[in-house]
Amino acid sequence: MTRTMSPPRSAGTKAPRPTDTLRSEWTKLRSLRSTPVTLAVIAVMVVGLSGLITLAVVTNHRRGAQVVTDPVGILQSAWFLGLLAYMVLGVLVMTSEYSSGLIGPTLLATPKRMRVLTAKATAFAVTALVTGEVVSFVNFFVSHAIASGYASFPDPSLGDHNVLRAVIGMGIDGGLAGLMGLALGALLRNTAWGITTGVAITFVLPLIFNFLPSSWSNPLLEYWPTQAGSQLEEVNRQAHALTAWWGTGDLTLFVILLLAAAGYLLVKRDA
Amino acid sequence: MIRVSNLTKRFGPQLAVDDLSFEVQPGVVTGFLGPNGAGKTTTMRLILGLAGPDGGMATINGVHYRDLRTPMREVGALLDAKSYHPGRKARDHLLALAQAGRIPSRRVGEVLDLVGLGDVAGRKAGTFSLGMAQRLGIAATLLGDPPILIFDEPVNGLDPEGIVWARTLMQSLASQGRTVFVSSHLMSEMALTASRVIVIGKGHLIADSTVDALIKGSSATVVRLRTPMPEAVIPRFEAAGASVQTDDDGALVVSGLEPSAIGDIAFYAHVPVHELSLVEASLEEAFMELTRDDVEYHAHGGATALQPPGQYGSLPPQASWPSGPAVR
Ligand SMILES: Nc1ncnc2c1ncn2[C@@H]1O[C@H](COP(=O)(O)OP(=O)(O)O)[C@@H](O)[C@H]1O
Ligand SMILES: [Mg+2]
């Protein structure tokens, strides 16, 4: 049975490059059916729920129920589900390696551990960013079509001030949420803890901050990474909030620090 | 060549690997033996750079695993059979590993055929039996056609046919000049597969020799004696240098004396003898005897201990191994 094998040799072969690790991680991503299925579910949920909420708001608005200050936010009101899903997927990209034991063969193939983390982060961030942009734009156009039947609703168009930036920004935040999840997954090596921590950072803690005295909550919420990052999704600048780009920088820096900590521990700890 | 020098690994207060040194040479299957918990897996993980040592070092062809230029072409290692994502097809699992090692993707089909999984290449690995999982794991180690192979308990979960297959594969890999390092907690398995063995217990080296020498060196004489008057002979046996245990059904198990000497002692003490039989140490016992002192968890209150005074020193009477001797 081993007749087909050539005698031992090791010289003269080419050393693997970082791009080889990247190809490997891309293969891992695309070869799991759960990846495209999850992404499709995200898309349907975000677009569908945003459409429904838009429909509800524009019908109410016709009856003069409320003044709309943030029309883009209404058209894409289910986007938080997308952020949540990308974060969970990011956690899973790392923790599934640990729960399945695949981390062993992965690190045997690529003992340079930073290379593994970089390749994983790159493959997943690109996937999250590209699909996030697609979902965000589809969401915008679908909700836009629903709202355009109601003349009294201040229906935004992509040409309006900061609207395009907000729609693109949601995709960017999807990529960053995914990277944050991936870093948390690498740090905690446990799916439940990774998701819990991610949800706490993104949704629960900012909610709790709201109950603090405003002398505390205002600066906290202003600089809190996920709050600051979400300013990119706003058409109008909020009170006590960073500008869209400073806010995105804040979130990006936070994600980079998390990834650096994850890389440090990945190299330092036993696999 | 694999070289381990003064390797030490601590988990909290526990020494999992204790100042361990040995070398593994090419061209033969080298067994790595020890009871469960002896530190075999930990040692292999240290060799492969998956864990870091607290002292000493392990090198492959003189360098640390992480410094190998083409790791998968230099070493193939299988630690845990089920280390794959259950939702991924066998072929895709191997493809991802091959790509990371810069190995041409046609090699995936080759190794799948080699281990007999060619027909199930498109099936999700999660549907595989443990035996198929072992084969998939072995396929992954062969991707880079490496001259050094490391397997941790590779026959665990294999059916008899699979065991023979794995044994033959390892031996043919070694006969091609490769270094093959295989762990097991079963001496009998190693006796059939390996020609050299490194035996460890509680993390430290117990023996490093050929299988033949190991079996010869540990065949201490053990005799079972049944008598209605055990108290009358036990002191005499002990005075003659033997150690004596009473087994479950009241028979004495005497080690360190020839059957003829035991019969004579009983005769001169006027003690009736109802049974006198030679208990031959099997391979398994040779190994148990070697590692008795180093078994991490003793099963107390079960079977009776044998206490052969081997060349590896005297053994404490409370030490026991959870299985009886083979009586012939
Ligand atoms: N990650 C770990 N954390 C704590 N203890 C460990 C760890 N890995 C192994 N051990 C302990 O180290 C000892 C050696 O284990 P192991 O190398 O798995 O032995 P073997 O493979 O020979 O059965 C055991 O007592 C085990 O409980
Ligand atoms: Mg083990």
Side-chain angles (χ1 to χ4, degrees):
Chain A
M1 81 210 62
T2 49
R3 276 193 308 274
T4 57
M5 298 184 54
S6 47
R9 53 166 169 74
S10 67
T13 48
K14 290 183 181 140
R17 302 151 295 185
T19 48
D20 293 310
T21 314
L22 183 60
R23 273 175 72 207
S24 168
E25 291 303 331
W26 169 243
T27 299
K28 284 187 195 170
L29 263 185
R30 68 160 180 79
S31 63
L32 283 183
R33 192 178 305 156
S34 57
T35 313
V37 168
T38 310
L39 291 174
V41 170
I42 296 175
V44 169
M45 280 188 0
V46 168
V47 175
L49 191 60
S50 291
L52 282 175
I53 294 174
T54 302
L55 188 63
V57 170
V58 290
T59 22
N60 269 332
H61 187 259
R62 197 168 47 163
R63 300 194 207 103
Q66 64 219 97
V67 180
V68 175
T69 53
D70 177 20
V72 176
I74 286 167
L75 294 187
Q76 306 198 217
S77 42
W79 180 246
F80 74 96
L81 285 178
L83 287 183
L84 181 64
Y86 282 122
M87 196 192 67
V88 170
L89 267 179
V91 170
L92 281 170
V93 163
M94 276 320 292
T95 57
S96 71
E97 289 257 345
Y98 286 97
S99 57
S100 67
L102 179 58
I103 189 73
T106 297
L107 293 181
L108 289 181
T110 312
K112 296 181 169 66
R113 298 185 179 183
M114 271 314 265
R115 204 181 261 193
V116 172
L117 184 67
T118 311
K120 268 194 184 318
T122 307
F124 181 65
V126 169
T127 306
L129 179 68
V130 170
T131 60
E133 293 298 354
V134 170
V135 175
S136 180
F137 274 90
V138 170
N139 180 167
F140 179 85
F141 289 124
V142 169
S143 295
H144 187 272
I146 292 171
S148 61
Y150 300 84
S152 60
F153 185 77
D155 196 8
S157 93
L158 282 182
D160 293 350
H161 183 61
N162 285 348
V163 170
L164 183 61
R165 187 187 76 184
V167 176
I168 293 176
M170 290 187 191
I172 292 177
D173 282 347
L176 286 170
L179 274 181
M180 183 175 85
L182 187 142
L184 291 173
L187 283 168
L188 300 165
R189 305 199 283 197
N190 173 291
T191 309
W193 278 116
I195 293 173
T196 307
T197 310
V199 169
I201 292 173
T202 315
F203 301 105
V204 181
L205 287 174
L207 255 171
I208 293 175
F209 294 158
N210 271 317
F211 293 104
L212 296 174
S214 57
S215 60
W216 285 66
S217 69
N218 285 344
L220 254 177
L221 286 171
E222 183 173 352
Y223 289 100
W224 189 254
T226 52
Q227 288 293 110
S230 70
Q231 300 313 311
L232 191 60
E233 302 170 11
E234 304 289 342
V235 172
N236 306 306
R237 173 132 185 230
Q238 313 289 299
H240 308 293
L242 295 177
T243 65
W245 297 116
W246 277 113
T248 307
D250 180 330
L251 176 61
T252 307
L253 184 67
F254 175 68
V255 169
I256 288 173
L257 287 177
L258 276 184
L259 280 170
Y264 174 78
L265 283 183
L266 182 66
V267 170
K268 193 119 174 118
R269 284 194 292 208
D270 288 351
Chain B
M1 190 187 62
I2 304 169
R3 174 177 285 144
V4 166
S5 19
N6 306 104
L7 199 62
T8 301
K9 179 70 177 180
R10 222 171 249 115
F11 292 112
Q14 186 200 8
L15 266 176
V17 178
D18 182 6
D19 198 27
L20 191 60
S21 302
F22 61 81
E23 283 178 9
V24 186
Q25 302 290 350
V28 291
V29 176
T30 303
F32 192 29
L33 267 168
N36 283 322
K40 304 180 295 294
T41 302
T42 305
T43 303
M44 288 181 161
R45 284 167 52 79
L46 291 167
I47 292 171
L48 296 166
L50 292 174
D54 292 307
M57 63 177 189
T59 56
I60 288 165
N61 295 331
V63 299
H64 291 295
Y65 185 90
R66 64 167 182 276
D67 296 326
L68 292 175
R69 214 175 67 88
T70 54
M72 290 181 73
R73 291 183 185 277
E74 292 170 70
V75 182
L78 172 63
L79 291 187
D80 181 8
K82 295 220 159 165
S83 11
Y84 46 71
H85 195 295
R88 198 169 280 129
K89 293 170 183 169
R91 186 194 297 121
D92 290 330
H93 170 69
L94 293 179
L95 177 62
L97 295 178
Q99 287 173 331
R102 203 175 177 183
I103 290 159
S105 50
R106 67 174 152 74
R107 192 63 196 149
V108 170
E110 286 174 22
V111 295
L112 278 168
D113 289 336
L114 203 64
V115 300
L117 291 179
D119 294 339
V120 290
R123 248 171 72 180
K124 286 185 181 175
T127 67
F128 281 11
S129 67
L130 186 49
M132 293 161 90
Q134 293 281 21
R135 286 170 187 260
L136 182 58
I138 292 175
T141 67
L142 300 176
L143 275 173
D145 201 7
I148 297 177
L149 289 138
I150 297 176
F151 301 108
D152 192 15
E153 311 255 2
V155 302
N156 264 9
L158 286 186
D159 52 17
E161 189 203 350
I163 292 176
V164 173
W165 170 80
R167 199 181 284 153
T168 316
L169 175 69
M170 282 178 238
Q171 284 167 343
S172 69
L173 289 168
S175 70
Q176 291 164 354
R178 298 175 211 251
T179 305
V180 182
F181 189 43
V182 192
S183 79
S184 176
H185 63 281
L186 299 173
M187 177 78 183
S188 51
E189 178 52 38
M190 283 299 96
L192 291 168
T193 314
S195 35
R196 287 198 67 86
V197 276
I198 290 160
V199 185
I200 63 168
K202 280 186 191 161
H204 58 255
L205 189 71
I206 293 178
D208 180 352
S209 72
T210 65
V211 172
D212 293 341
L214 189 69
I215 294 166
K216 271 204 203 89
S218 65
S219 52
T221 316
V222 179
V223 173
R224 178 195 296 272
L225 177 77
R226 202 176 290 280
T227 168
M229 300 167 59
E231 323 75 42
V233 278
I234 292 177
R236 291 174 190 250
F237 292 150
E238 282 172 350
S243 63
V244 185
Q245 300 267 308
T246 308
D247 84 13
D248 285 344
D249 51 355
L252 299 181
V253 179
V254 185
S255 29
L257 282 178
E258 290 299 310
S260 56
I262 290 171
D264 289 352
I265 290 173
F267 176 76
Y268 290 120
H270 303 288
V271 169
V273 171
H274 293 173
E275 182 198 337
L276 183 67
S277 58
L278 186 63
V279 181
E280 198 173 55
S282 67
L283 293 176
E284 219 59 52
E285 282 149 28
F287 168 53
M288 286 172 195
E289 180 192 323
L290 275 175
T291 56
R292 183 181 318 267
D293 214 4
D294 298 291
V295 176
E296 199 180 17
Y297 304 105
H298 298 291
H300 287 289
T304 305
L306 287 179
Q307 264 205 352
Q311 77 239 55
Y312 298 98
S314 64
L315 301 156
Q318 73 273 16
S320 67
W321 181 270
S323 94
V327 180
R328 197 183 61 176

